[in-house]
Amino acid sequence: MIILRVAPDGWQLPKWESGQFAVLGLPESAPRTMLSDADPDRANSDKLIRRAYSIASSPDERGYLEFYITLVQSGALTPRLFALKPGDRLALGSKISGMFTLDEVPEGQNLVLVGTGTGLAPYMSMLRSELQCHKDLHTVVLLGARHSWDLGYRGELIAMQRYCPTFHYIPVISRPNEELVKWSGQTGYVQDLWDRGLVEMAMGTRPRPDNTHVLLCGNPSMIEGMIAQLSAEGFVESTRKEPGQIHAEKYW
Ligand SMILES: Cc1cc2nc3c(=O)[nH]c(=O)nc-3n(C[C@H](O)[C@H](O)[C@H](O)COP(=O)(O)OP(=O)(O)OC[C@H]3O[C@@H](n4cnc5c(N)ncnc54)[C@H](O)[C@@H]3O)c2cc1C
């Protein structure tokens, strides 16, 4: 995974909200990282490959956008993004969009932010800007990854937990046997954390549809699994027509 900072060259970033995404692009002729699969068919074309990426930086940061990106070895764009060096140029769409924002969450609610891998990116933006440390309202981050070294922004999240008693960071890894140093934290998937009652333990109260909103971001199977679990407890997925307590952003 990489953290990539992209600065506009000769134009200003528009106003945007935490949780939204921008579009990055590189031509097919751009080199691919050696860590990826070869893709000889595309190597000579100047056609732009574009993909959406959630912004991890705060909207108050006006000079650049920060992205948190994982390598898809067989992918079209990420192997090219991973081959970039500091100072290289790439395309950044001038439009920043998306509905996965805190506008959808009413005041006075606990928040559970559930992510897999780079699905943490929009939450970092929210935590770095809009989310305050409340006395009574809790914010819980549940983050799933394969290995401990895939748990991004760990130092920043642990520091937030240290300084805010109502902020809770609960990481979980699915391949503890591959750890170099024995992992003493949670193992399995983020869905298991909910079942184990860890959110209730952290908040000191049971998360219910009338006191908690849940955001889900990243891997579609995690999102579908969590929606099934939450629906069984009375939570409803928010749609354009019908507001609910579950807000989801699928990455593919
Ligand atoms: C709104 C939105 C926001 C996104 N934000 C991010 C982000 O912040 N960081 C990020 O890394 N990706 C993000 N993505 C995914 C991103 O747009 C690309 O799909 C991804 O980088 C793969 O591009 P590629 O061209 O290398 O692979 P492609 O050739 O397009 O292959 C796509 C396949 O790659 C896999 N894949 C896609 N995204 C991921 C991922 N994040 N982790 C693991 N496998 C994946 C899936 O199997 C998918 O079918 C976001 C997608 C959406 C729709």
Side-chain angles (χ1 to χ4, degrees):
M1 287 169 185
I2 50 168
I3 290 175
L4 192 69
R5 286 184 175 174
V6 183
D9 187 6
W11 56 281
Q12 294 222 316
L13 292 172
K15 275 199 181 299
W16 56 278
E17 279 178 68
S18 56
Q20 292 192 302
F21 64 86
V23 172
L24 297 179
L26 279 170
E28 290 182 344
S29 55
R32 294 169 66 89
T33 170
M34 277 164 38
L35 303 167
S36 68
D37 305 342
D39 184 12
D41 296 349
R42 298 179 187 244
N44 294 317
S45 154
D46 272 340
K47 201 173 142 218
L48 208 56
I49 309 166
R50 296 164 206 261
R51 298 286 183 270
Y53 292 97
S54 304
I55 305 166
S57 44
S58 158
D60 301 329
E61 175 51 65
R62 304 298 303 147
Y64 62 83
L65 299 176
E66 182 174 297
F67 301 96
Y68 178 42
I69 301 176
T70 193
L71 175 67
V72 176
Q73 282 181 329
S74 60
L77 184 62
T78 50
R80 292 172 168 85
L81 293 175
F82 271 65
L84 290 172
K85 296 183 293 304
D88 280 353
R89 296 176 68 83
L90 75 162
L92 169 64
S94 58
K95 193 164 171 258
I96 297 180
S97 32
M99 307 282 290
F100 190 65
T101 68
L102 292 171
D103 283 355
E104 310 285 301
V105 179
E107 295 271 313
Q109 295 286 309
N110 298 302
L111 264 183
V112 183
L113 310 175
V114 188
T116 51
T118 53
L120 176 63
Y123 305 144
M124 288 313 298
S125 180
M126 294 171 186
L127 291 166
R128 287 164 159 180
S129 56
E130 289 183 62
L131 289 174
Q132 310 287 326
C133 181
H134 280 279
K135 197 158 72 63
D136 310 312
L137 294 173
H138 294 261
T139 301
V140 185
V141 173
L142 304 182
L143 180 66
R146 283 184 185 164
H147 307 110
S148 63
W149 53 89
D150 301 321
L151 295 166
Y153 297 101
R154 213 165 145 203
E156 198 170 329
L157 291 163
I158 289 171
M160 284 181 198
Q161 180 167 256
R162 175 144 168 62
Y163 290 108
C164 178
T166 53
F167 175 75
H168 317 274
Y169 166 56
I170 312 178
V172 58
I173 61 166
S174 60
R175 298 194 181 173
N177 299 341
E178 296 171 9
E179 290 294 303
L180 303 176
V181 175
K182 194 171 162 25
W183 171 258
S184 56
Q186 295 292 323
T187 58
Y189 298 94
V190 280
Q191 297 92 306
D192 303 324
L193 300 180
W194 188 272
D195 281 345
R196 286 174 201 156
L198 291 172
V199 174
E200 178 171 356
M201 250 186 265
M203 301 203 312
T205 181
R206 194 172 165 72
R208 297 181 315 265
D210 65 342
N211 67 7
T212 303
H213 275 235
V214 185
L215 275 64
L216 308 171
C217 185
N219 186 321
S221 354
M222 176 281 281
I223 292 177
E224 281 148 28
M226 280 301 300
I227 289 177
Q229 275 169 262
L230 292 164
S231 303
E233 295 180 31
F235 289 83
V236 173
E237 189 179 359
S238 204
T239 61
R240 275 176 199 228
K241 284 190 188 153
E242 200 78 21
Q245 308 83 17
I246 309 174
H247 313 268
E249 182 90 296
K250 287 184 182 170
Y251 274 1
W252 68 93

